[in-house]
Amino acid sequence: MRSRTALTGLLTTAATVLGLMASTTPATAGALDVTCLPTSSQTASFSPPLTLTPGPTTVTASTQYGPCTSTSVPGLTSGSRSATIPYPALSCLDLLKSAPLTFTITWNTGQTSTISGSTAVTTAGAALVVTITGNVTAGLFAGDSVVQTVTGPSTDVTLCTLGLGTVPSIYAVVTLAITSAS
């Protein structure tokens, strides 16, 4: 279960739609503590590439947040997260599953925010859109709500789910909003 949760976190932060950006709407009516817009991006690579048949692969994912603006921490302008995780059995169908996840963003200030939430995966036209909703559970902005949208092209994933190709990597644009509860 841990590996599926970690994978979903990586993939949701790696799902894709080049050039199509989803809007980010804060989950509460509180103050917007941080917003990160494209050119924020995420890349996930699969070695070997994913196929329709589950098999062993290593996922390497990296998310770069920025430009970011924060009303409560004026020096916060960017952030990042990355991971490399081997999986014993993974297929391109796993990219379409929603699941819980936890991840930590390291901000350019040296502070961190640990986020726990869940993902919702949809396809809209040629776009694969992963929306993460949850809360900051530790670190900077603890208690705030989070909405992150990862949008990228769905072509490789769609072809793979039809048995007509593989998924070697996914590049996506990212939007992030962290909103205080008050």
Side-chain angles (χ1 to χ4, degrees), residues 108-135:
N108 66 293
T109 60
Q111 297 163 295
T112 61
S113 297
T114 299
I115 297 167
S116 293
S118 59
T119 64
V121 181
T122 59
T123 54
L128 177 64
V129 180
V130 179
T131 303
I132 301 166
T133 56
N135 295 293

Side-chain angles (χ1 to χ4, degrees), residues 41-134:
S41 64
Q42 176 178 298
T43 302
S45 300
F46 309 96
S47 181
L50 296 179
T51 66
L52 185 57
T53 304
T57 193
T58 297
V59 179
T60 303
S62 175
T63 306
Q64 301 299 317
Y65 298 93
C68 302
T69 56
S70 172
T71 56
S72 57
V73 183
L76 190 152
T77 59
S78 63
S80 65
R81 67 183 176 115
S82 62
T84 299
I85 302 173
Y87 291 93
L90 194 63
S91 81
C92 54
L93 294 173
D94 291 309
L95 297 175
L96 301 175
K97 296 179 180 176
S98 298
L101 77 150
T102 298
F103 60 92
T104 299
I105 299 172
T106 301
W107 301 107
N108 66 293
T109 60
Q111 297 163 295
T112 61
S113 297
T114 299
I115 297 167
S116 293
S118 59
T119 64
V121 181
T122 59
T123 54
L128 177 64
V129 180
V130 179
T131 303
I132 301 166
T133 56

Side-chain angles (χ1 to χ4, degrees), residues 112-179:
T112 61
S113 297
T114 299
I115 297 167
S116 293
S118 59
T119 64
V121 181
T122 59
T123 54
L128 177 64
V129 180
V130 179
T131 303
I132 301 166
T133 56
N135 295 293
V136 179
T137 56
L140 188 62
F141 310 117
D144 284 9
S145 62
V146 175
V147 177
Q148 178 175 299
T149 305
V150 180
T151 308
S154 63
T155 308
D156 285 350
V157 176
T158 300
L159 289 172
C160 182
T161 62
L162 296 171
L164 301 173
T166 64
V167 181
S169 65
I170 298 174
Y171 171 82
V173 294
V174 175
T175 60
L176 172 69
I178 299 179
T179 307

